Amino acid sequence: MMTPPIPAWQLYGESSPFPDILHMERIRDRAAGLDWRIAAHRHAHLAQIFLLTDGHAAIRLDGQSNQPPLPLMLFIPPNIVHGFTFSAGTEGWVLTLPVESHPMLFAPTSEIAPLATVPVLGTPSPGALNLVTSLHSAWRGNAPLRRTHLQGLLVQMVCMLLQDHAADSAPVPPAQTRLLRFSELIARHHAQHWSLDRYAAEMGMSPRNLGRLCRAQAGMSAHALIENHLMREAARLLAYTRMTAQAIAYQLGYQDPSYFNRRFRKVMGLSPGAYRQRLEG
């Protein structure tokens, strides 16, 4: 019997891409409804930061179990298989970040990127909870420069957690570096609809080896990674602009808006119009 694949979730089983650069929720808001247990899963395009302040947590990271004392800060990069069992009433926050919205943190050329490829557990600094509170206030608001404000606070938080590990951090695995390079190329050339052969040639790889890399590191094919990126771009345009679905299709390089609509429905589970209506509802 084949072992079922580990699910790759957008956000604890939700299939819709992020329309924002950040999502925040309290541990109890999500875990209490799941009997305080989060099954093993991974996020292909999302990183997460946990601040656990009170209670107890059994944490599984790529098959390794930990029961660290609280309070705790935890950083989980994309594609790391993770799951949790919390004691009832555990308090804390989880912040979820779409990596493409935060190049200062996750772009291959970022100073932080080499440190953000493996999970990090650490004791929160005295200002961590105040920083999370400020983030939540800015996230819920609509003040001028909201996006830049959020990005600055997030960089501060990630630096707070990772800088103690900078001196003795392990080198980035070559496969992870190549996947980051592929993601960067997709972000630059998605609207040109490069072929897989062209992406592979740009990376100095064969298409077969690029496909193997993506399946091993991200749990999906190279074609799926490219299309998912396009649909996340479409979701952001639907959320933040008044462009029609047809105009979005053309902007993303689709010559046939009907084909774009079918692919969006296939990936997202609903049409572009229904996706926008759900956001506005």
Side-chain angles (χ1 to χ4, degrees), residues 238 245 261 264-266 268-277:
L238 287 165
N261 287 347
F264 190 91
R265 183 188 291 273
K266 176 71 174 179
M268 302 294 298
L270 70 174
S271 69
Y275 179 83
R276 175 174 276 164
Q277 186 175 21

Side-chain angles (χ1 to χ4, degrees), residues 59 61 66-68 72-75 118-123 161 165:
I59 304 170
L61 297 169
N66 300 274
Q67 297 189 42
L72 172 77
M73 283 192 75
L74 168 64
F75 173 78
V118 296
V120 175
L121 294 84
T123 302
L161 181 56
H165 301 266

Side-chain angles (χ1 to χ4, degrees), residues 98-122:
V99 296
E100 290 173 359
S101 296
H102 301 280
M104 186 171 288
L105 297 175
F106 301 111
T109 55
S110 163
E111 182 182 24
I112 296 173
L115 306 173
T117 59
V118 296
V120 175
L121 294 84

Side-chain angles (χ1 to χ4, degrees), residues 3 32 34 47 52 56 62 64-65 77-78 92 98 109 111 151 164 170 185 190 198 211-212 222 225 232 244 268 279:
T3 302
L34 299 171
L52 305 177
H56 179 269
D62 272 352
Q64 300 295 316
S65 296
T109 55
E111 182 182 24
Q151 287 174 324
D164 289 341
L185 286 172
H190 61 265
R198 185 166 183 182
R212 288 173 176 166
L225 281 171
R232 289 197 308 277
T244 65
M268 302 294 298
L279 291 175

Side-chain angles (χ1 to χ4, degrees), residues 85-101:
T85 300
F86 299 105
S87 63
T90 294
E91 293 287 350
W93 291 88
V94 55
L95 287 67
T96 305
L97 289 64
V99 296
E100 290 173 359
S101 296

Side-chain angles (χ1 to χ4, degrees), residues 215-227:
R215 284 188 291 272
Q217 295 295 312
M220 63 181 69
S221 70
H223 285 296
L225 281 171
I226 295 167
E227 184 168 64

Side-chain angles (χ1 to χ4, degrees), residues 176-235:
Q176 186 70 20
T177 300
R178 287 195 292 269
L179 185 66
L180 287 170
R181 170 64 175 155
F182 183 43
S183 297
E184 181 185 35
L185 286 172
I186 294 172
R188 288 167 52 191
H189 301 290
H190 61 265
Q192 300 166 30
H193 287 249
W194 275 17
S195 67
L196 188 59
D197 286 349
R198 185 166 183 182
Y199 279 115
E202 188 73 18
M203 296 180 64
M205 303 175 67
S206 70
R208 181 188 294 268
N209 285 338
L210 179 56
R212 288 173 176 166
L213 169 74
C214 294
R215 284 188 291 272
Q217 295 295 312
M220 63 181 69
S221 70
H223 285 296
L225 281 171
I226 295 167
E227 184 168 64
N228 282 4
H229 175 92
L230 281 161
M231 295 309 151
R232 289 197 308 277
E233 287 297 313

